[in-house]
């Protein structure tokens, strides 16, 4: 089911969208047709299901990047985004089961492949539920969070998975026909999908809350219909 949240590729025969002269990737450029819209929705639903069925978003995006020829080799890197910490949302604090005065640390990373940021992940974690060595590594290095806390034998529980944009209008499956084709490009917003999740240690104690937002760059390849 598609839920609306608040929270490049050129036409066939033209080169897929790449990178501007300043090094910044273009937004995907799909044709604004009923077929392309349907393909975009199917792809987003496929990516969403793949993310939900695997614990590692990094490995899932790596497979996605490889399958759609977005980079060779298709390797996803996690880059630490420095900046002020964002307060932990109250609902996630409650999910972690911690008091209002319990210290919480914050990390933000960008998952990138082929020069494109495919997602941004915000991570709030409870230092008192990690070892001193883990906290030191997290505070002084850019080592991926999952690698640092791997000794906890953690598991992931998704709290919500929300499509922030649908290429087709609500109720399209019951309409007599799909939206008409239009000249030009399909307007794709910068944020397409968002997951909220908790990480639990091997004893079932939650120690981290995540908000992962997937960008328009996950569609930075030619639509399937561009290939005969």
């Amino acid at each position: 089911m598609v839920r609306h949240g608040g929270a490049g590729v050129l036409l066939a025969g033209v080169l897929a969208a790449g990178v501007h002269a300043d090094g910044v990737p273009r937004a995907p450029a799909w044709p604004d047709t009923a077929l392309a819209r349907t393909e975009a929705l199917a792809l987003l639903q496929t990516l969403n299901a793949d993310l939900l069925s695997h614990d590692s978003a990094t490995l899932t995006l790596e497979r996605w990047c490889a399958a759609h020829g977005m980079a060779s080799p298709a390797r996803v890197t996690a880059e630490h985004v420095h900046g002020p910490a964002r307060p932990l949302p109250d609902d996630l604090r409650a999910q972690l089961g911690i008091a209002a005065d319990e210290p919480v640390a914050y990390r933000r990373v960008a998952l990138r492949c082929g020069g494109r940021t495919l997602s941004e992940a915000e991570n709030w974690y409870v230092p008192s539920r990690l070892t001193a060595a883990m906290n030191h590594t997290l505070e002084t290095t850019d080592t991926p969070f999952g690698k640092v806390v791997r000794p906890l034998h953690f598991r992931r529980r998704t709290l919500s998975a929300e499509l922030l944009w649908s290429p087709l209008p609500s109720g399209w499956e019951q309409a007599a026909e799909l939206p008409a084709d239009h000249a030009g490009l399909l307007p794709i917003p910068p944020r397409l999908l968002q997951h909220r999740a908790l990480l639990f240690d091997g004893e079932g104690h939650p120690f981290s809350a995540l908000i992962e937002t997937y960008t328009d760059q996950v569609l930075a390849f030619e639509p399937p219909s561009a290939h005969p």
Side-chain angles (χ1 to χ4, degrees), residues 77-228:
T77 59
E79 298 183 8
H80 196 183
V81 179
H82 298 276
R86 194 163 76 91
L88 174 64
D90 290 341
D91 65 316
L92 292 180
R93 181 175 285 275
Q95 292 278 359
L96 286 171
I98 55 178
D101 58 351
E102 174 77 25
V104 175
Y106 176 80
R107 265 188 154 209
R108 182 179 177 185
V109 300
L111 296 183
R112 295 171 56 79
C113 183
R116 298 179 174 90
T117 296
L118 304 183
S119 77
E120 289 190 354
E122 295 181 279
N123 177 13
W124 294 265
Y125 62 94
V126 185
S128 64
R129 298 181 181 178
L130 306 183
T131 67
M134 290 176 184
N135 283 310
H136 178 73
T137 301
L138 291 170
E139 291 167 2
T140 60
T141 75
D142 284 347
T143 305
F145 187 81
K147 183 176 181 179
V148 175
V149 302
R150 187 176 298 161
L152 297 178
H153 305 290
F154 68 89
R155 61 182 177 84
R156 175 187 176 114
R157 187 177 81 196
T158 301
L159 301 175
S160 65
E162 184 176 19
L163 287 182
L164 304 178
W165 170 72
S166 173
L168 294 173
S170 178
W172 66 270
E173 71 280 6
Q174 298 176 347
E177 58 185 24
L178 293 174
D181 293 352
H182 294 91
L185 300 177
L186 177 63
I188 302 178
R191 296 174 178 84
L192 306 183
L193 174 67
Q194 188 173 87
H195 285 191
R196 293 160 66 94
L198 295 179
L199 298 183
F200 293 79
D201 63 23
E203 297 181 353
H205 303 126
F207 64 89
S208 173
L210 306 171
I211 297 179
E212 299 165 338
T213 305
Y214 296 86
T215 76
D216 58 351
Q217 296 300 305
V218 301
L219 293 178
F221 50 84
E222 289 186 338
S225 55
H227 304 280

